[in-house]
DNA sequence: AAGAAATACTCAGTGCCCTGACTAATCGGG
DNA sequence: CCCGATTAGTCAGGGCACTGAGTATTTCTT
């Protein structure tokens, strides 16, 4: 009766979009390296020697998640992690040769995948799509913290 | 050098969109019930007595994930799970009174949240946004399986 | 009626994602 | 110089999401 149509819920659509992407990535790009892992490799190609926190900032991952992703990439031998001698809190990250090689290979495949992913949209629609996606995300990002916390669902006794 | 701009990658944008939504949901809707959990409640308001698999289908979750989500909702006392006497493989799901109550409360909050989430877009843009999101997801969904598996990154010796 | 195939669900394993609490190191003022 | 605040990273805990393997039940086929 009071049920709602989920297709009018942006959150639901966002989740579906990500699932769709995950699926395509798995079949067209790699079953070993994930999309967030590629994002990290990419950030380190652009700025070698970055520390963990900064990489997380570039790719949009919090301190805990970025630590996990980096540890996995380290285990796979795609990057090295060394203490910063200037600031003993930091770890400096740098791709290994293998890391660079994998990044290069994935860059090509990713481009192909993006084409397939966006194929249902015309060129103009693709531009609009990026724009809308970015604007909504940026706006929500800007809303961090300031709001008062939600009232709990159940009144605790 | 060969680094790519992530803002041109729909997968990255999809992930950011979901993160943004997660954040907003947490502050505006509930810290206890998640968006996928709400989707399940909603499906069961629409069709009480559905089995697990069908609920998963409605909300877009695979068998394993839907099992976890349902088990959590069960632990919270929001739904009941009983063996189908007609078909001993199935579990039939039904919301408890508390489940219905929570769904009603969240429906209101979710509507408010959606408004805030979409506020950066004009009414017309919102329509376009939904349309593009849906078309891309549907298309990728349709691409399931058929493709040959990706070649592995490293040639195993 | 018996065996094969399909179906609903569970379980183990991997990975992403967040929060909150903690440790270690650095930095800033007095 | 020292103490408090800030900052980088870790760790535990909860939840989402998938795959692949396994169990039980039903259904299809012969």
């Amino acid at each position: 009766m009071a049920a709602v149509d989920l297709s009018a819920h942006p959150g639901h659509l966002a989740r579906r979009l990500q699932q769709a992407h995950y699926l395509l990535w798995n079949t067209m790009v790699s079953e070993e390296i994930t999309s967030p892992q590629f994002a990290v490799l990419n950030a380190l190609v652009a700025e070698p020697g970055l520390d963990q926190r900064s990489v997380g900032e570039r790719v949009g991952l919090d301190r805990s998640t970025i630590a996990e992703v980096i540890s996995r990439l380290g285990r796979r031998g795609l990057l090295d992690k060394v203490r910063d001698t200037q600031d003993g809190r930091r770890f400096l990250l740098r791709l290994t040769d293998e890391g660079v090689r994998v990044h290069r290979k994935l860059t090509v495949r990713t481009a192909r995948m993006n084409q397939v992913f966006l194929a249902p949209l015309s060129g103009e629609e693709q531009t609009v799509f990026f724009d809308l996606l970015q604007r909504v995300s940026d706006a929500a990002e800007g809303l961090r913290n300031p709001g008062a916390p939600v009232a709990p669902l159940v009144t605790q006794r």
Side-chain angles (χ1 to χ4, degrees), chain A:
Chain A
M1 313 90 211
V4 143
D5 182 9
L6 287 182
S7 66
H9 282 223
H12 183 248
L13 294 176
R15 191 166 59 77
R16 281 201 56 213
L17 185 70
Q18 229 210 322
Q19 283 172 351
H21 177 262
Y22 172 87
L23 197 66
L24 208 56
W25 181 280
N26 242 286
T27 56
M28 289 194 61
V29 181
S30 171
E31 292 180 343
E32 311 163 291
I33 303 298
T34 65
S35 166
Q37 284 174 24
F38 173 72
V40 168
L41 296 184
N42 195 60
L44 288 172
V45 166
E47 301 175 82
L50 230 49
D51 64 311
Q52 261 182 235
R53 205 203 97 267
S54 306
V55 173
E57 217 169 65
R58 301 286 188 284
V59 302
L61 290 178
D62 66 294
R63 61 202 188 296
S64 288
T65 306
I66 197 66
E68 288 178 27
V69 173
I70 283 174
S71 125
R72 273 185 279 270
L73 290 173
R75 275 204 301 276
R76 279 181 182 283
L78 304 187
L79 56 75
D80 285 326
K81 188 173 159 177
V82 295
R83 277 275 180 210
D84 185 349
T85 47
Q86 309 301 302
D87 183 340
R89 291 167 299 183
R90 284 192 174 82
F91 282 107
L92 302 186
L93 306 169
R94 210 170 288 278
L95 294 192
T96 60
D97 291 349
E98 173 70 359
V100 173
R101 214 175 61 76
V102 166
H103 174 265
R104 192 159 33 227
K105 188 171 287 193
L106 291 187
T107 299
V108 179
R109 296 190 187 174
T110 300
R112 270 204 300 269
M113 192 222 62
N114 285 341
Q115 278 189 358
V116 173
F117 194 55
L118 295 173
L121 308 187
S122 72
E124 199 176 330
E125 284 173 329
Q126 294 181 15
T127 310
V128 173
F129 191 49
F130 283 129
D131 177 53
L132 299 182
L133 238 26
Q134 204 124 41
R135 277 165 57 201
V136 171
S137 301
D138 286 349
E141 178 72 20
L143 258 49
R144 295 202 71 103
N145 307 325
V150 212
L153 271 174
V154 254
T155 324
Q156 234 75 319
R157 69 190 149 82

